[in-house]
Amino acid sequence: MAVGIFDSGLGGLTVLDAVQKRLPDVDLLYFADSAHAPYGVRDAENIYDLTRRAVYDLWNRGCDLVILACNTASAAALRRMQEEGVPEGKRVLGVFVPLIEALTERQWGDNSPPREVAVKHVALFATPATVSSRAFQRELAFRAIGVDVEAQACGGVVDAIEDGDMILAEALVRSHVDALKRKMPEPQAAILGCTHYPLMAETFQAALGSEVQVFSQGALVAESLADYLQRHPKMQGEGKGGFLTTGRPGTVSDRATQFLRRQITFDAA
């Protein structure tokens, strides 16, 4: 048994990398739905169906706990999966809440009423599907009041990163930041609302300016998971981790190796 990490493609490897550094003794089974990536341009029903299928696959492989290391899946599928009922002894968690808890300076799992927070103007960079879902704003409203969120759909960035075209990805990031700043000239904080985007964190920071605090998810999700497993140690289990993909394993392995700059070998899901 291992903890499952799901992503539509390779972006979730930024979360996996952070979790492995924070929790080196936890086995992780990574599932990339590469055959259907990217999710960010799909409609909500399609994203839900694909996410549900992958999560049940991981549960059936012995992963009692699955992390949706994909903001688009978290936005479009997580709440619905939880509302429709999760099998006994299984859990599925998303990546928005740890980010919002950090932004609003809440302790992990603090469910007290929403309150005023220091940050008032927040830029959200995410996929088109995540932006249209307004899931980030909904989750934020449970924890904070008086925060203005300006969202920017960053079309093309995920595709460029998955294709290994970092020059194009950098150009697209700068263009999207410019578009955001025309709507919100002086954001106090910026949310990198896609697990691919930490690879472009320096570009985001440079385009936004050093005075803007940039939040990305890897370390935050890893710390939240460490806290969760401390409170629910039985969810960690035992067993062998690995890497699975619905795409072509050889191609995905090559790109993942470039992505993390260490050898990664995927097997067919």
Side-chain angles (χ1 to χ4, degrees), residues 243-256 264-269:
F243 299 87
L244 301 170
T245 180
T246 57
R248 292 188 289 184
T251 300
V252 176
S253 297
D254 289 344
R255 289 178 177 170
I264 302 290
T265 302
F266 275 83
D267 296 315

Side-chain angles (χ1 to χ4, degrees), residues 170 173 192 197-209 214:
E170 289 179 8
V173 165
L192 303 189
Y197 297 175
L199 292 173
M200 311 305 299
E202 291 184 4
T203 305
F204 274 104
Q205 187 74 74
L208 286 161
V214 175

Side-chain angles (χ1 to χ4, degrees), residues 56-190:
Y56 269 83
D57 190 312
L58 284 167
W59 281 337
N60 290 334
R61 292 175 187 269
C63 297
D64 289 345
L65 173 62
V66 176
I67 307 298
L68 298 185
C70 173
N71 288 270
T72 303
S74 292
L78 177 61
R79 182 169 290 274
R80 181 173 167 186
M81 285 191 68
Q82 292 173 333
E83 288 174 348
E84 291 184 354
V86 172
E88 185 176 355
K90 305 294 185 183
R91 294 289 184 276
V92 56
L93 303 174
V95 288
F96 275 143
V97 172
L99 196 65
I100 292 170
E101 287 175 334
L103 177 69
T104 56
E105 298 183 338
R106 283 183 173 240
Q107 297 296 315
W108 310 122
D110 179 355
N111 292 317
S112 60
R115 59 178 181 264
E116 293 274 355
V117 295
V119 175
K120 301 297 184 186
H121 304 288
V122 176
L124 170 65
F125 297 97
T127 66
T130 297
V131 169
S132 65
S133 75
R134 295 189 59 82
F136 178 84
Q137 291 91 325
R138 182 182 65 234
E139 294 294 337
L140 179 62
F142 290 141
R143 295 163 179 83
I145 56 177
V147 181
D148 178 26
V149 177
E150 188 64 60
Q152 176 63 34
C154 298
V157 175
V158 170
D159 302 83
I161 292 173
E162 290 269 340
D163 290 340
D165 192 343
M166 305 311 280
I167 293 175
L168 175 58
E170 289 179 8
L172 287 169
V173 165
R174 288 192 292 268
S175 174
H176 290 309
V177 171
D178 286 345
L180 182 285
K181 292 181 80 171
R182 286 195 290 271
K183 297 178 287 184
M184 179 180 279
E186 296 183 356
Q188 295 169 279

